[in-house]
Amino acid sequence: MNEIKITYMTPNTDNLTTRIEFTAKFHGTNDNVSGSINVTNDDITNAYHEATASDPYAGHRTLVASKLADEFKQAIGTKEA
């Protein structure tokens, strides 16, 4: 199963964003992708609503996956991945 691990989160009070550092692992190919994205504080607040007792970063991983998918769509010039 593929997975996204949240490695670090850094709030920025100057512009009301948060930087999320992550690593995505693709087990079928043994590929890893690491990086960071900036999201709004509203995005972070919504992500916390998806947290569970057993998985406090569930919403954050969903947020990272969604943002990456949007960025990839824009990069290749299409509306669907």
Side-chain angles (χ1 to χ4, degrees), residues 13-73:
T13 57
D14 291 341
N15 63 6
L16 302 177
T17 62
T18 297
R19 181 180 222 50
I20 300 175
E21 296 179 26
F22 64 90
T23 299
K25 294 183 178 187
F26 302 96
H27 295 284
T29 58
N30 290 322
D31 291 334
N32 294 318
V33 176
S34 296
S36 62
I37 60 170
N38 290 317
V39 297
T40 68
N41 284 351
D42 287 342
D43 289 335
I44 290 294
T45 299
N46 291 335
Y48 276 118
H49 291 165
E50 294 182 40
T52 65
S54 63
D55 190 357
Y57 288 107
H60 295 78
R61 282 193 296 282
T62 301
L63 175 60
V64 168
S66 174
K67 294 288 184 180
L68 287 175
D70 290 346
E71 292 294 333
F72 288 134
K73 288 175 194 174

